[in-house]
Amino acid sequence: MLGAILGDIIGSPYEFSEQVEGPDAFPLFSKDSRFTDDTVLTLAVANGILEAGRSRARTADAVKSEMQRLGKLYPDAGYGARFIQWLESPHPRPYQSWGNGSAMRVSSVGWMFDSMSDVMDFAEITSSITHNSQEGIKGAQAVAGSIFLAREGASKRQIRSFLEHDLGYDFSEENISYLRIKAQRKPGWGVSCMATVPLALDAFSRSQNFEGAVREAIAGGVDTDTVADIAGAVAEAYYGIPFRIRQKGLKYLDASLLQIYNNYLNCIDA
């Protein structure tokens, strides 16, 4: 999960900008780096699952409650307009979103369960609180499933096979190029699961280490904090995270968010 948080922080200054000319053309952390809604909601999902005791019956309500609690504590984190309406509703309901929010917040699911069937089920549960469309659920399952496979020692080829054959993604050069161009031309579509998830996982597939995955994700442009969040989430499971990057990135979290992360880490390590 830390890989998602770090990707979000590192990618935050470059969202839909033209500042980045290549994967080595920007500092990993800068004065403009910050955590965004990606980090807040990633931690909310993890904390909600823990509060529910990893119970299928209780997880949806617990995650919904925690997303509303943390979302209101961090109102300026950068939420989308429809999510803000959901956040402010006394009785929030899913709204058929196919945006990338379901995929950017799901990374803890890939670590907290020990079978692919559980990972896929809980990815759907955490997605469907808001993103109950087919594409929203598929995006969450793609990210959580890739993390699970990576931590289990799967190769990049095996992860790609899961994404292509089980979920129907197309990682051909032609399609990735098409997705990137369309996302750049239509920013509203650029924040969709259909664009973000394959672009992020393609960046991971072309990387050689954690830092490289995040840099490749950001160099592709568009919704850089979320693309780097997803690429970083899978890269953490596949490569691990260098100590220097881990320590630097954690300094961007305040005490409340850091406490949630440490509670999660203790549960994972137990």
Side-chain angles (χ1 to χ4, degrees):
M1 183 174 74
L2 181 58
I5 293 170
L6 295 176
D8 174 43
I9 293 167
I10 296 167
S12 61
Y14 310 108
E15 187 176 22
F16 287 99
S17 76
E18 298 180 359
Q19 300 177 51
V20 179
E21 297 179 356
D24 299 316
F26 58 92
L28 208 59
F29 297 99
S30 76
K31 62 181 178 61
D32 297 318
S33 299
R34 65 183 184 92
F35 68 81
T36 78
D37 58 321
D38 295 31
T39 291
V40 173
L41 297 179
T42 291
L43 289 167
V45 168
N47 211 33
I49 294 171
L50 293 176
E51 290 287 336
R54 309 188 205 197
S55 160
R56 277 179 172 78
R58 297 195 298 272
T59 287
D61 285 342
V63 170
K64 183 191 300 182
S65 176
E66 192 64 5
M67 284 170 59
Q68 285 214 306
R69 184 184 76 83
L70 280 185
K72 290 173 182 176
L73 279 178
Y74 299 92
D76 300 319
Y79 312 105
R82 293 180 72 189
F83 184 80
I84 290 173
Q85 293 177 351
W86 181 93
L87 193 61
E88 293 175 345
S89 171
H91 304 290
R93 299 178 61 82
Y95 47 91
Q96 283 289 316
S97 176
W98 39 255
N100 56 26
S102 60
M104 60 79 162
R105 69 190 188 213
V106 77
S107 53
S108 62
V109 172
W111 289 96
M112 295 174 77
F113 300 96
D114 293 325
S115 72
M116 180 61 90
S117 62
D118 282 347
V119 167
M120 299 298 271
D121 286 350
F122 278 86
E124 180 172 359
I125 290 168
T126 64
S127 172
S128 295
I129 293 165
T130 52
H131 295 54
N132 58 332
S133 69
Q134 180 181 352
E135 290 294 341
I137 292 168
K138 185 173 86 167
Q141 290 178 326
V143 177
S146 295
I147 291 168
F148 175 76
L149 289 172
R151 62 175 266 246
E152 290 291 298
S155 66
K156 288 182 180 179
R157 178 173 294 184
Q158 289 170 319
I159 295 170
R160 178 165 170 163
S161 177
F162 157 71
L163 294 166
E164 291 180 332
H165 297 146
D166 291 25
L167 296 179
Y169 285 100
D170 178 358
F171 287 93
S172 66
E173 264 186 60
E174 181 181 18
N175 190 56
I176 293 297
S177 178
Y178 164 77
L179 293 176
R180 182 168 289 112
I181 292 169
K182 184 175 178 179
Q184 289 167 343
R185 290 176 177 172
K186 297 184 176 182
W189 190 81
V191 298
S192 69
C193 272
M194 298 84 82
T196 306
V197 171
L199 291 176
L201 295 174
D202 176 69
F204 158 71
S205 73
R206 291 184 286 105
S207 67
Q208 300 297 317
N209 50 47
F210 175 82
E211 181 175 341
V214 172
R215 286 186 174 279
E216 288 286 350
I218 293 168
V222 302
D223 192 11
T224 52
D225 58 333
T226 301
V227 179
D229 164 314
I230 294 170
V234 181
E236 175 190 15
Y238 193 83
Y239 300 115
I241 303 174
F243 179 79
R244 63 180 175 82
I245 298 177
R246 178 185 299 266
Q247 293 304 103
K248 178 72 171 177
L250 286 172
K251 292 179 180 178
Y252 286 85
L253 300 184
D254 65 20
S256 296
L257 296 180
L258 190 59
Q259 184 62 57
I260 294 173
Y261 173 69
N262 286 332
N263 289 344
Y264 156 83
L265 202 60
N266 289 336
C267 290
I268 293 299
D269 291 342

